[in-house]
Amino acid sequence: MSEAVLSAAPARREGATGEALTAWALGLPAVLAYLVLLLLPTLAAILLAFTDYELGAPAFAWIGLDNFSELLRDRGFAQALRNTVFYVAVVTPGSILGALALALLIEAGTRGRTLFRAVFFLPVVSLTVAMASAWQYLLHPSIGPLNAVLRQVGIDGPAWLSSSDTVMWSLAAIGIWENLGFNLVLFLAGLTAIPREMYAAAEVDGAPSAWERFRLVTWPMLGPTTLFVLTITMIRSVRVFDTVKVLTQGGPNRASEVLLHAMYLEGFTYFRLGYSAAITLVFLAIVLALMWLQTRVLDKRVHYG
Amino acid sequence: MGVIVTGIVVEKVTRHFAGQPVLKGVSLAVAAGEFVALVGPSGCGKSTLMRLIAGIDRPDGGRILINGRDVTALRPAARNVAMVFQSYALYPHLTVAENIAVPLSMRRMGVAQRLPLIGRIWPGSRAARRGIAEDVRSAALALGLTNLLERRPSQLSGGQRQRVALARAIVRQPAAFLMDEPLSNLDAALRVHTRREIVEIHRRAGAATLYVTHDQSEALTMADRVAVMQAGEILQVASPRAIYADPDDLRVATFIGSPRINTLPAEIDGHGLTRVAGFPTGVRLCGAERITGAATLALRPEDLYLADGGIPATAEGLEFLGESLLLHARHVGTGTALVVRLPPELVPDLPPGSRVTLGFDPARALLFDARGRRLRDTAVVPEPSLV
């Protein structure tokens, strides 16, 4: 018995080693791609955040946390952070509730499902930069159709994108329009997955209204979908950049400055790569915090284990 | 059929789906306190009928009455019926206690009282909640769920979920119980056990119960009466015993009973004498039903036995079932497959291909006309070849 074990064990270990080697060899391309394309750049960004490196500079110095203490004092950065939070706080509920309402309407209807899905999904597949010029025209204070309509009813519409009072609201509205279709398609998929029998049961149990059936069946059964949509939308809206870059460049007077645009300015206009990397780290921390919130806190409440 | 005031009454109900008739004028009555099983092959329309009675779907024609009230146009909530679904349809985000409480809170509490936070402090909701909790506890007690009240459905076994679905149905004492194949997701042992429990629950609740199943053994063991449905029609409604021994229709005879009833093509001559491939069977058709020509003679497997004289057949194989033994054979004259149930200790060695003769009591033979309708007015002719 013990002999058999002794002679069998090394053979098996060799086999296991060979298997592990094969596994690593097969995994190597993916591992390399992950290292070179994701892990190393992230690591480089983290290192850069602790230097005063500027693009084209012959040397750089380690300055520790100086970049971060500068961020704390930088009123432009504070403004960008506030604006980003505002943007996320408007776009996330706006596009989720809007998409949910539309999905329920489309699902309840008998005709035109494909058409409506396509119509609302269009902004997702279209190029944001190109669509932004359309928005620029729509929101133009003098020649834009929106203000023309408002003038018809006697309202003097504001300069939507060039007044610091309205610019963030305008950008958020465009953000909702951008995210709505994506969320809509996710909600439609989630709604299709709810068994019809659940609604039948709710009706027999006496749920008197559509609202009551929504509360009893649709909303809880959509929980996992809603959580996913929430996470995706928050991350997508923290990343807002294209519309800001094309429409306002953060103006007027930094009233529409957002996190990624500030980072872009520092890195690619002022070439302060170290400082820009510090902003990137803040951005990364926010995204990771949101993901943590999803997996640790909310996940337990929507999967009824 | 007299006028039944209480219970479920379905009158000439029709339903089409995309031009295809699914229910072709179905009528059925379930008295208060009665347990009727609706049995039929899948796709025969039995679940559709159940959904119509529950109000989840509306009929194209006909009426549905519950306790004498025409509910055809009413919403499910207004019909006071409880339904147990095949998938149980429990609310996954609610605990067992909350699941059972749903039908009560929907009825006894207002919209505001049901809201998560405001509902707690809304006037009158404390008393309503206390009443509901009491009823939930007694329903849970009746089904042995007391220890599971705080669990979620995902933490329960199939049998336990089934009990929760039943508790949710009985908790509000409905006018009618509808059960749509409630046992089909359970394993065989649990199914047999739960059958008795459902009958017991029905007896205590005393409401009219309609139980849909495709499993004839469930229908026969549980029901006071069995309704056999096929292709959108109810063929016969009768006690389990009558459905088995005295079917109205050849389709009922072949659907009920396992193994399937033996059917032999027969001829009825001008004197009413019935022959199978020229062989006199000893069954004579008499009285008003003077029909001649093609007919079907049906015999249950247990009504056939090995005899010295009888219908000739070729043995094809034996199946040992423990308490009995099935002989598979083929009728020599017509090539019809036959199954004979025999006591296992009496069977001689029968290699495939050996010739046997099968006797039967003509009084137990069932005669059907060419369209499958039962010919009841038969008598036994003493026939020397069939001793």
Side-chain angles (χ1 to χ4, degrees), chain A residues 195-221 300-305, chain B residues 51 54 56 75-77 81-83 85-94 102-103 106-107 111 114-116 152 154-155 168 172 180:
Chain A
R196 299 286 107 194
E197 253 186 13
M198 294 300 303
Y199 289 106
E203 283 207 54
V204 174
D205 280 344
S209 57
W211 160 248
E212 211 64 54
R213 284 193 292 282
F214 175 80
R215 228 169 61 83
L216 195 58
V217 179
T218 315
W219 181 244
M221 299 287 274
K300 287 201 184 74
R301 303 191 49 182
V302 295
H303 294 107
Y304 311 103
Chain B
R51 293 169 61 83
I56 303 160
R75 298 193 61 83
V81 296
M83 187 158 171
F85 293 86
Q86 188 175 355
S87 66
Y88 316 139
L90 301 177
Y91 307 110
H93 63 297
L94 300 180
V102 165
M106 287 294 168
R107 275 172 179 73
V111 178
R114 284 198 298 269
L115 286 177
R152 293 256 166 91
S154 58
Q155 297 165 307
R168 188 174 65 177
R172 65 183 149 110
D180 189 5

Side-chain angles (χ1 to χ4, degrees), chain B residues 167-367:
Chain B
R168 188 174 65 177
I170 63 165
V171 74
R172 65 183 149 110
Q173 282 130 16
F177 273 124
L178 305 172
M179 304 200 188
D180 189 5
E181 311 222 7
L183 302 183
S184 58
N185 285 344
L186 300 182
D187 62 61
L190 199 54
R191 207 177 298 168
V192 172
H193 175 73
T194 315
R195 271 186 207 167
R196 304 279 359 124
E197 281 195 339
I198 290 181
V199 172
E200 195 53 46
I201 287 165
H202 156 76
R203 203 164 292 152
R204 261 181 285 163
T209 300
L210 185 64
Y211 183 100
V212 162
T213 178
H214 66 270
D215 182 342
Q216 48 164 303
S217 62
E218 273 176 28
L220 295 176
T221 52
M222 296 170 79
D224 298 323
R225 288 193 300 152
V226 176
V228 180
M229 194 164 181
Q230 224 161 65
E233 285 175 281
I234 289 185
L235 301 176
Q236 187 176 1
V237 189
S239 71
R241 205 174 282 272
I243 283 280
Y244 185 79
D246 192 19
D248 282 343
D249 194 291
L250 185 58
R251 288 173 290 175
V252 176
T254 50
F255 185 73
I256 300 290
S258 174
R260 220 176 87 116
I261 196 166
N262 296 298
T263 55
L264 287 159
E267 285 284 329
I268 305 173
D269 69 12
H271 304 290
L273 293 171
T274 308
R275 286 186 171 80
V276 171
F279 184 91
T281 60
V283 178
R284 192 169 74 89
L285 180 66
C286 41
E289 298 173 293
R290 261 302 154 91
I291 290 165
T292 57
T296 303
L297 191 75
L299 285 157
R300 294 282 176 201
E302 61 271 26
D303 290 335
L304 285 166
Y305 51 86
L306 294 174
D308 295 333
I311 46 178
T314 314
E316 290 192 329
L318 291 167
E319 254 175 47
F320 181 65
L321 296 180
E323 85 290 353
S324 66
L325 191 136
L326 297 181
L327 164 65
H328 291 270
R330 200 163 284 280
H331 182 225
V332 173
T334 60
T336 316
L338 296 171
V339 182
V340 186
R341 191 190 290 275
L342 299 165
E345 66 280 0
L346 289 181
V347 178
D349 196 26
L350 282 174
S354 53
R355 181 62 67 94
V356 291
T357 45
L358 302 173
F360 59 89
D361 176 0
R364 299 191 67 84
L366 306 172
L367 192 62

Side-chain angles (χ1 to χ4, degrees), chain B residues 14 30 80 86 118 144 146 162 351:
Chain B
T14 56
V30 184
N80 195 22
Q86 188 175 355
I118 307 160
T146 316
Q162 221 274 331

